[in-house]
Amino acid sequence: EKDGFDHYMLKEIHEQPRSLRHTMAGRIDEAKQMVKLPELDLSPETVKGIEKIYIVACGTAYHAGMIGKHVIENLAKIPVEIDVASEFRYRNPLFGQKTLTVVVSQSGETADTLAALREAKRNGSSVLAITNVVGSSIAREADHVMTTKAGPEIAVASTKAYTSQLIAFYLLGIYFAQEKKSMEASDCAALVQELQKLPDQVEKILGHAEEIRQFAISIKEERQMFFLGRGLDYAVSLEGSLKLKEISYIHSEAYPAGELKHGTLALIEEGTRVIALSTQPHLHEKMVSNITEVKARGAVVLGVALEDNVELHRSVDEVCLIPATHPLLAPVLCVIPLQLIAYYTSVSLGNDVDRPRNLAKSVTVE
Ligand code: M6R
């Protein structure tokens, strides 16, 4: 069942090249290099009329939604608000006639996400669900459904569902942009081309699992760790930090690197382990200066950075390389080493990787 892997989580991490291909399958017009999403059954007029989007989810799906916000705003120029479902359902959000609510849920059964969906519908918003489970409660109650097709995810720590949710958001963002003509056709085509390279690039990163395992062994005694990033890298940091907490029980905090000086820098001392993500070219320089700041206080830094970012490589103690891609797509690559770090740390501590303490795969009560 585990296909020769020691745990479901490791199997699911390694399945990602395949699951990403499945998420894209049938949704790309190869000849035109365009996205097609007939299953959504949205008319071009409806798409053009969307004034605002809410993205609502929990945990890892929420972290995917953070990337989704960035992608949709950048490509389709529609304002997006993102909320944790347990907050959204109780905060009386403002809905207009032309608000679309996007709920994201691997299981399709998360109680708070389902309640948020119902709240949105009660307020007249149409709801689009991104889910991995066909026929789940969320899929049944939503007006439009986009299935992630990642295949069953057994490990409590979500991995392949997250990267498939990211692909779903890229497809959705490009599709909205096509319908709204908010992007040049050639730019859309270029992005679609880069999107299709991701599975092979993930495969390449998975080939470095042994180096990442060594790093994980080196952090297993830590009591606390920090993840730093800016922009999309900050959203990925949150996911890396959650993964580490969830299965290794090491306390970690993800921080937008520019906020460090406003408090968190006080926690950095001699030997503090920091993982710094830098995949966004327009933020490279800023990240280098944040890394210099923490190193000056004694931090030991692992950089997760683009292959050609030599300046950043020089500024860190160790580096994990990410192949070149379109900046919006980098999260799919950047999260892979973080998943592996969490996995190998948990294994080296002897934890129950697939069934971490206190947690359930599907949170059906609030
Ligand atoms: O099934 P869902 O995507 O709605 O689940 C949401 C969260 O409970 C889930 O992502 C949780 O955070 C994971 N265990 C994280 O790895």
Side-chain angles (χ1 to χ4, degrees):
E1 265 203 339
K2 291 180 199 150
D3 288 346
F5 289 100
D6 290 344
H7 300 95
Y8 282 110
M9 183 179 177
L10 190 61
K11 169 179 177 263
E12 287 159 8
I13 289 174
H14 281 269
E15 262 171 19
Q16 289 175 109
R18 190 152 43 103
S19 52
L20 298 184
R21 281 189 196 102
H22 281 163
T23 312
M24 287 182 232
R27 289 166 167 163
I28 291 173
D29 179 327
E30 296 288 346
K32 296 188 189 146
Q33 288 288 289
M34 282 175 78
V35 171
K36 46 178 189 177
L37 294 172
E39 74 259 44
L40 290 187
D41 200 17
L42 285 167
S43 70
E45 287 64 43
T46 310
V47 175
K48 280 182 207 140
I50 301 170
E51 283 172 354
K52 174 180 166 179
I53 294 178
Y54 279 120
I55 297 177
V56 190
C58 302
T60 287
Y62 171 77
H63 295 153
M66 288 180 74
I67 312 274
K69 167 184 160 74
H70 208 99
V71 168
I72 293 172
E73 288 188 340
N74 264 268
L75 303 181
K77 313 293 178 207
I78 305 170
V80 182
E81 267 190 67
I82 163 133
D83 264 274
V84 165
S86 54
E87 292 295 315
F88 184 83
R89 62 181 292 194
Y90 294 119
R91 79 165 171 92
N92 295 320
L94 299 174
F95 292 93
Q97 279 291 307
K98 295 179 173 173
T99 304
L100 173 71
T101 304
V102 178
V103 293
V104 192
S105 174
Q106 187 284 129
S107 63
E109 301 296 344
T110 299
D112 282 320
T113 311
L114 182 59
L117 172 157
R118 290 178 179 154
E119 177 69 11
K121 285 186 80 170
R122 213 176 6 255
N123 284 280
S125 168
S126 72
V127 175
L128 187 157
I130 296 177
T131 180
N132 202 32
V133 182
V134 181
S136 58
S137 306
I138 286 176
R140 277 186 279 114
E141 294 193 27
D143 302 295
H144 311 277
V145 182
M146 197 173 169
T147 45
T148 40
K149 303 185 191 172
E153 191 181 64
I154 310 291
V156 166
S158 181
T159 53
K160 65 175 182 170
Y162 171 78
T163 46
S164 282
Q165 286 158 359
L166 296 185
I167 300 295
F169 274 117
Y170 297 131
L171 293 170
L172 198 61
I174 298 170
Y175 171 71
F176 285 169
Q178 287 169 187
E179 298 295 82
K180 289 192 62 189
K181 303 203 174 13
S182 56
M183 259 175 104
E184 296 288 340
S186 58
D187 291 340
C188 273
L191 192 53
V192 168
Q193 222 169 20
E194 288 299 309
L195 192 65
Q196 288 173 296
K197 289 186 194 159
L198 288 173
D200 287 342
Q201 293 176 318
V202 167
E203 191 93 64
K204 192 171 165 197
I205 300 172
L206 290 169
H208 295 280
E210 181 51 30
E211 289 150 49
I212 298 170
R213 193 175 75 86
Q214 294 303 330
F215 173 81
I217 293 170
S218 80
I219 62 167
K220 71 172 194 191
E221 306 294 341
E222 298 301 321
R223 297 298 307 273
Q224 70 164 352
M225 301 237 337
F226 292 90
F227 289 78
L228 302 179
R230 285 171 174 255
L232 288 173
D233 289 328
Y234 167 55
V236 179
S237 298
L238 285 169
E239 174 57 9
S241 173
L242 176 64
K243 220 90 300 180
L244 189 69
K245 284 185 270 230
E246 185 173 29
I247 57 172
S248 78
Y249 317 141
I250 295 174
H251 177 253
S252 70
E253 213 179 320
Y255 236 72
E259 273 287 294
L260 272 181
K261 283 196 185 74
H262 302 283
T264 309
L265 198 54
L267 290 171
I268 306 288
E269 48 188 19
E270 199 57 41
T272 303
R273 303 297 292 256
V274 171
I275 299 180
L277 315 185
S278 188
T279 66
Q280 302 295 305
H282 69 296
L283 297 167
H284 280 342
E285 236 179 85
K286 302 285 168 198
M287 277 307 295
V288 170
S289 72
N290 293 133
I291 290 166
T292 312
E293 273 163 11
V294 293
K295 280 197 60 81
R297 273 93 189 163
V300 179
V301 182
L302 169 76
V304 180
L306 293 172
E307 276 168 357
D308 62 357
N309 190 356
V310 183
E311 206 196 335
L312 192 121
H313 303 174
R314 285 203 203 103
S315 71
V316 295
D317 297 280
E318 280 181 84
V319 71
C320 181
L321 300 177
I322 300 298
T325 182
H326 188 290
L328 283 180
L329 308 181
V332 174
L333 303 178
C334 190
V335 76
I336 306 292
L338 307 188
Q339 295 172 343
L340 288 167
I341 289 170
Y343 172 76
Y344 285 119
T345 309
S346 177
V347 170
S348 62
L349 288 165
N351 295 346
D352 186 345
V353 177
D354 286 335
R355 277 172 302 150
R357 67 190 184 199
N358 309 340
L359 300 174
K361 180 66 183 162
S362 182
V363 185
T364 51
V365 291
E366 70 169 292

